[in-house]
Amino acid sequence: VRMKSRIPLVLVACGSFNPITNMHMRLFELARDHLHQTGRYQVIEGIVSPVNDAYGKKGLVSARHRVAMAKLALETSDWIRVDPWESEQETWTETVKVLRHHYNESLGLLQSKKEFMKNKWPTERSTEDSLSYQHSVLPELKLLCGADFLQSFKTPYLWKEEHIKEIVEKFGLVCISRAGSDPAQYINESDLLTKFQHNIFLVKEWIQNEISATQIRYALCRGLSVKYLIPDSVISYITHHNIYTEESEKKNEGDLLQPLKLHNTAVKPLND
Amino acid sequence: VEGPDKKTEVVLLACGSFNPITNMHLRLFELAKDYLHETGKYKVIKGIISPVGDAYKKKGLISANHRVTMAKLATKDSDWVEVDDWESSQSEWLETLKVLRYHHQKLLSPDPTNSLQNALPLTKPGRKRKQEPNRHEPIKKKNQSPDIKSVPQVKLLCGSDILESFGIPNLWKSEDIAEIVENHGLVCISRAGNSVQKFIYESDVLWRHKNNIHLVEEWITNDISSTKIRRALRRGQSIRYLVPDVVRAYIEKHNLYSPESEDRNAGVILAPLQKNASDSKN
């Protein structure tokens, strides 16, 4: 009797990762533990997707560095990796498109595995492997985030309504929050989120660990230690390339975030 | 170094269970060093992690051998923080003040035999005391650079919970607290918005020596307590990125923490409480 198979699941985290911190990596570990404990999922991969430079956030350093630092940080992980696709696009890419891309990639991978198996065992054999690939469960892909992300859905013009819908309906969210904050409230306050709340996994982080990348950058600019908050290899990289300075912090100062800019240019013609 | 002001050399000493050591413990040292250097008056020359002995009898305390090894693994890449096992190798529990005195003496005196003498408490008549050979090399006195004051200090590094534990009956001797803040000093790391200042205000002895109590605010909330680490391990949850990876690997390899290990010393009275209660009876 075959055991009910778990749904393979990929976690994608989008963000600046400016720089990546131990907290970012903790999100993955917490999410995986939680999803495994539901008994329904098998987390097969974690993807860190640093945002494109064109996002225009204040203090955002070159994607080349942000990707390199994430790579160093994730060297010791056997399931989380960094994917530069989003950062290599010509323009800023909406989150939903990033999710679509990685979902298609994971489907493609599954397809090529199926074909590999078929070629390996051209005749039908009732081996565990060939059976499982014939009746393989489609993987799911979910967006991994913190409660602030969930809250940002409310920020005017930051998200398109249809994108939020696609994210929670077709993909799903795994939202990590610290004890004391209440993401259930944000869900409750939104009809859309409430409708798809079965696809929003809320995970509580009991071990408070609020290592914000902004504070890391402040510390670095002031020559203060960030050891044990981000991996040593990332600290070495930052020091070696002198990445975070007063100057780098001023980048994009006064500019609008790209998604907000796009909204403005869309609205402008009406005002003429 | 500009000006005639001389800097005081400081050694930071952290006492505790380190059961296990976490990234938060290691952060305390970094925060304290940055803070003291920014005052312009101090130069931190060394950090010492001194795990408590098994005789402390805290619930869930695993063998000192493991705790010392993990701390050593965690600090092997540090160029200024090290682990000292003198405290943990004593057969009886030692008051924190004695550990401070020992390390202070070691700093001042190049002669190994002196240091052991001065740190050990006087034996009570009739009690056998195990004489430990001193395996600890004294710190060689460097040639004094002109900007360094001649007397180095050993300061107790701790979180606000330790400071506030001064108020727990029979946990600390009041004369010990007085000597710690008067002769050595405290560097206390706490979260923004804590009640430490109020605690100091409400204590006459702490207030009197408040200049020797350095309060450092930790803005990056980092509540990685060893208790929570052990809990996560019992529940099969990941502790990655909360403790150094070498420590995580060591814990896994030796399967250190379990419901059984957490039950160690259950029902046993903590050594200082037992000692202070019986001393006051005498």
Side-chain angles (χ1 to χ4, degrees), chain B residues 12 38 49-50 69 91 96-97 130 140 236 245 260-261 268 282:
Chain B
L12 293 167
E38 292 212 309
I49 293 173
S50 176
T69 304
S91 55
T96 303
L97 176 60
K130 186 170 149 195
K140 289 196 175 64
D245 218 48
E260 290 74 45
S261 71
V268 176
N282 291 343

Side-chain angles (χ1 to χ4, degrees), chain A residues 22 25-26 29 33 37 76-77 206-211 215 224-229, chain B residues 23 26-27 30 34 38 77 219-224 228 235 237-242:
Chain A
N22 284 349
M25 298 185 286
R26 272 300 290 163
E29 298 288 310
D33 280 347
Q37 282 180 329
T76 57
S77 179
W206 293 100
I207 302 178
Q208 288 201 39
N209 200 12
E210 292 153 43
I211 307 173
Q215 286 173 321
L224 300 173
S225 163
V226 295
K227 205 168 158 70
Y228 312 115
L229 298 175
Chain B
N23 282 348
L26 299 162
R27 275 300 290 160
E30 300 290 308
D34 279 345
E38 292 212 309
D77 291 329
W219 296 102
I220 300 178
T221 309
N222 202 5
D223 180 31
I224 309 173
K228 290 181 175 174
R235 296 173 185 181
Q237 293 166 340
S238 164
I239 58 167
R240 260 197 190 245
Y241 313 117
L242 299 175

Side-chain angles (χ1 to χ4, degrees), chain A residues 19 37 44 68 79 108 123 139 150 159 164 173-174 177 191 209 219 223 237 247 249 252 255:
Chain A
Q37 282 180 329
I44 56 174
W79 69 284
T123 53
L150 200 64
W159 297 87
I164 301 177
L173 284 178
V174 183
S177 60
D191 290 343
N209 200 12
Y237 183 94
E247 217 180 282
E249 206 55 24
N252 298 322
D255 282 355

Side-chain angles (χ1 to χ4, degrees), chain B residues 155-199:
Chain B
K155 294 194 182 302
L156 187 63
L157 171 64
C158 63
S160 55
D161 55 331
I162 300 288
L163 187 65
E164 294 191 30
S165 81
F166 284 172
I168 298 174
N170 282 340
L171 192 59
W172 297 82
K173 288 195 208 118
S174 52
E175 57 266 30
D176 280 13
I177 296 173
E179 191 175 328
I180 290 172
V181 291
E182 188 173 5
N183 291 3
H184 302 280
L186 282 178
V187 182
C188 175
I189 318 290
S190 56
R191 242 164 296 178
N194 64 82
S195 51
V196 169
Q197 282 184 317
K198 180 163 181 266
F199 187 81

Side-chain angles (χ1 to χ4, degrees), chain B residues 20-21 62-74 233 239 243-257:
Chain B
I21 193 164
I62 65 166
S63 145
N65 283 337
H66 285 309
R67 292 182 289 114
V68 165
T69 304
M70 288 188 285
K72 281 184 172 156
L73 286 171
L233 288 164
I239 58 167
V243 305
D245 218 48
V246 286
V247 174
R248 185 198 53 80
Y250 183 90
I251 293 173
E252 213 173 275
K253 181 172 172 204
H254 296 271
N255 196 26
L256 292 181
Y257 295 107

Side-chain angles (χ1 to χ4, degrees), chain A residues 7 40 59 63-65 76 80 82 129 146 149 157 169 205 227 236 251 256:
Chain A
I7 302 169
R40 289 180 284 154
R64 176 174 68 93
H65 287 311
T76 57
I80 313 169
V82 61
D129 279 337
F149 203 92
Y157 314 127
E169 185 178 16
E205 158 70 295
K227 205 168 158 70
S236 302
K251 201 169 176 211
L256 272 181

Side-chain angles (χ1 to χ4, degrees), chain B residues 93 168-172 269-278:
Chain B
W93 170 74
I168 298 174
N170 282 340
L171 192 59
W172 297 82
I269 302 176
L270 207 61
L273 296 175
Q274 189 156 55
K275 188 164 188 218
N276 292 334
S278 70

